[in-house]
Amino acid sequence: MRAKRCGRCLGWLVLGFLLFVTAPAPTSRPPLLTPTATDTSVPAIGRTWPVGIRPAVLRGWEPPATVYGRGHRGVDLAAPAGAPVRTVAAGRVSFAGRVAGKGVVSVKLTGTDLRTTYEPVTASVEKGDEVTAGEVIATVAATGSHCTTTCVHWGLRRGETYLDPLSLLPPWLLHRGPSRLLPVLGVPLPT
């Protein structure tokens, strides 16, 4: 009886060892992004500023050192109350409503793992709406801003990681001056 039991135990041990040896190696998972993550690459897919033509940046992006650390998780753009707020790139509205008494619109950008947020605003879109770059999604709310004057807090996230929303704008849009019409020499006037 004892030999039979030992034989079974040995059989289970051999089977366990074979399963251990032949099991596929665990795949390494990509590290979770945190506020101190080094992957801050963002495609410059923006096609317009959220407000105005080139609004003043009242306060820039200051990444926090830790998840709950001090910092500024977006940029504050000067804008008068009632001004239209536009989405910077095409996407789908993932949230339109109130958070802590402020109006917020969040847009999941098409073809990316990025999400932009705009607050405080009065939404003119609903969750699930498809939006195009430059489409009006809200108006600037008169109250609820953390700025000393009315402004829009524009944020950008990848998962739970905050990124600099200005990085969405290509250099030609970020640093462009006003358009100027130049004379065209040697071209006849239309009749």
Side-chain angles (χ1 to χ4, degrees):
M1 186 73 141
R2 191 174 231 173
K4 207 177 203 184
R5 203 178 312 155
C6 284
R8 258 191 260 148
C9 285
L10 184 60
W12 283 111
L13 284 172
V14 169
L15 181 62
F17 178 75
L18 288 174
L19 286 174
F20 175 75
V21 171
T22 60
T27 59
S28 63
R29 292 185 181 178
L32 294 175
L33 294 175
T34 64
T36 57
T38 56
D39 182 13
T40 57
S41 59
V42 174
I45 59 173
R47 295 294 167 250
T48 185
W49 282 89
V51 291
I53 295 172
R54 190 172 189 307
V57 177
L58 302 175
R59 184 173 176 194
W61 181 64
E62 300 165 19
T66 63
V67 176
Y68 300 107
R70 288 181 9 177
H72 191 236
R73 293 160 172 85
V75 295
D76 294 335
L77 304 174
V85 177
R86 302 175 189 285
T87 182
V88 297
R92 179 183 299 272
V93 176
S94 57
F95 180 83
R98 299 191 73 71
V99 175
K102 294 187 233 180
V104 178
V105 173
S106 184
V107 177
K108 165 80 172 75
L109 303 181
T110 303
T112 71
D113 58 351
L114 302 170
R115 186 173 71 242
T116 58
T117 56
Y118 311 87
E119 65 176 87
V121 297
T122 303
S124 57
V125 291
E126 295 178 356
K127 181 179 178 178
D129 288 353
E130 290 282 338
V131 291
T132 58
E135 184 174 336
V136 174
I137 57 171
T139 56
V140 178
T143 60
S145 171
H146 59 255
C147 300
T148 57
T149 181
T150 56
C151 73
V152 169
H153 178 83
W154 175 32
L156 175 65
R157 290 175 79 174
R158 172 181 286 127
E160 296 301 314
T161 303
Y162 292 89
L163 302 169
D164 183 1
L166 292 176
S167 60
L168 282 173
L169 300 178
W172 61 266
L173 186 59
L174 197 56
H175 304 293
R176 179 175 67 181
S179 298
R180 297 172 197 228
L181 296 176
L182 300 174
V184 179
L185 303 174
V187 177
L189 294 173
T191 55

